[in-house]
Amino acid sequence: MGGTVALPQEHRAAGAGGDLDALADAALLLTSEAVTNAVNACLANGCTIPVTLFAEWNNPHRLRVLVHDGAPGLPVCQLPSVETEHGRGMMLISRGADAWGVCNHGPGRGKATWFELGVRG
């Protein structure tokens, strides 16, 4: 998955590297996991509304990502065996994010999985 994480002006002026590179890598990985979970839930449940992705800097030091889908039910954080190819998305989000959760916010029915990452330093 390719993508860009736009940094607030104060961080762009300071130059990228180190912590900012790690933040961008984590944001891309966790976003990919949340979107994959949402798409898979919708495919399994015949959703008619699109998966929606929203990302914002809550302040110059905190990135929040929200992925909404119209599928019923909540994602489950599980620890699959090493042989299992699927089922690690919520575990990665729970361990990689500074904060995360599932809520009913978003367009229409369904739920939204969200997470936050902070800029260190």
Side-chain angles (χ1 to χ4, degrees), residues 16-121:
D19 291 339
L20 296 179
D21 290 342
L23 175 74
D25 290 345
L28 289 172
L29 172 64
L30 300 184
T31 300
S32 174
E33 293 298 334
V35 169
T36 298
N37 285 350
V39 168
N40 287 341
C42 283
L43 288 173
N45 290 284
C47 295
T48 58
I49 64 170
V51 170
T52 305
L53 169 66
F54 177 77
E56 70 174 345
W57 288 94
N58 287 350
N59 65 51
H61 304 286
R62 198 141 192 89
L63 174 67
R64 177 173 233 194
V65 175
L66 183 140
V67 178
H68 180 269
D69 67 72
L74 299 175
V76 177
C77 192
Q78 55 189 332
L79 184 57
S81 70
V82 293
E83 294 85 25
T84 304
E85 292 186 25
H86 303 284
R88 291 177 178 79
M90 294 308 299
M91 180 200 55
L92 290 171
I93 291 170
S94 72
R95 292 184 179 179
D98 294 327
W100 72 279
V102 180
C103 61
N104 293 328
H105 302 322
R109 300 181 0 226
K111 77 280 187 187
T113 300
W114 63 268
F115 65 86
E116 293 184 355
L117 295 169
V119 175
R120 309 273 190 252

